[in-house]
Amino acid sequence: QVQLVESGGGLVQPGGSLRLSCAASGSNFRLNAMGWYRQAPGKERELVASITTGGMTKYADSVKGRFTISRDNAQNTVSLQMNSLKPEDTAVYYCNFKSLITSFEVWGQGTLVTVSL
């Protein structure tokens, strides 16, 4: 069974940076996508960024040019470098792992990112 271990998150000032990381352990799904979703109070969970084992990336329009997602396929780890953070980025960020073959999906527990003075 895949387990996701998230790290990062916290309080940062507007314009600052944070790096989120997520490691998928016990995974035998070589063709997969890993990414980060976020959910703010009163809003639906939305995709922030994702990356497949093939290197295909996808970003929310609101974070393009500010966030960068990367991964290590050998270890099934994914990182999200978040720069130029804005208060609107405040949300609980969830790591996601999904098999591209079976659609098997696992979610992390979530980590809170707060952008505020």
Side-chain angles (χ1 to χ4, degrees):
Q1 184 77 5
V2 177
Q3 297 184 19
L4 302 180
V5 180
E6 301 165 320
S7 63
L11 175 64
V12 65
Q13 295 182 341
S17 299
L18 282 175
R19 176 176 289 177
L20 305 181
S21 63
C22 177
S25 63
S27 175
N28 292 317
F29 301 91
R30 289 182 171 85
L31 300 178
N32 62 74
M34 295 185 68
W36 291 92
Y37 292 70
R38 68 186 181 188
Q39 187 167 25
K43 297 183 178 180
E44 295 184 349
R45 187 174 299 185
E46 64 173 351
L47 174 68
V48 179
S50 65
I51 183 169
T52 69
T53 45
M56 181 179 180
T57 59
K58 186 175 183 179
Y59 294 92
D61 288 340
S62 60
V63 307
K64 288 181 179 178
R66 299 188 297 121
F67 293 8
T68 302
I69 191 167
S70 61
R71 68 178 295 161
D72 183 335
N73 287 340
Q75 300 185 33
N76 272 338
T77 59
V78 63
S79 296
L80 183 68
Q81 179 65 44
M82 304 185 293
N83 298 326
S84 302
L85 283 162
K86 304 175 180 179
E88 63 196 77
D89 295 317
T90 297
V92 177
Y93 285 69
Y94 298 89
C95 182
N96 175 267
F97 175 100
K98 184 169 69 177
S99 169
L100 298 179
I101 303 299
T102 69
S103 296
F104 170 80
E105 191 172 53
V106 177
W107 291 92
Q109 66 180 8
T111 183
L112 177 63
V113 172
T114 302
V115 184
S116 178
L117 294 173

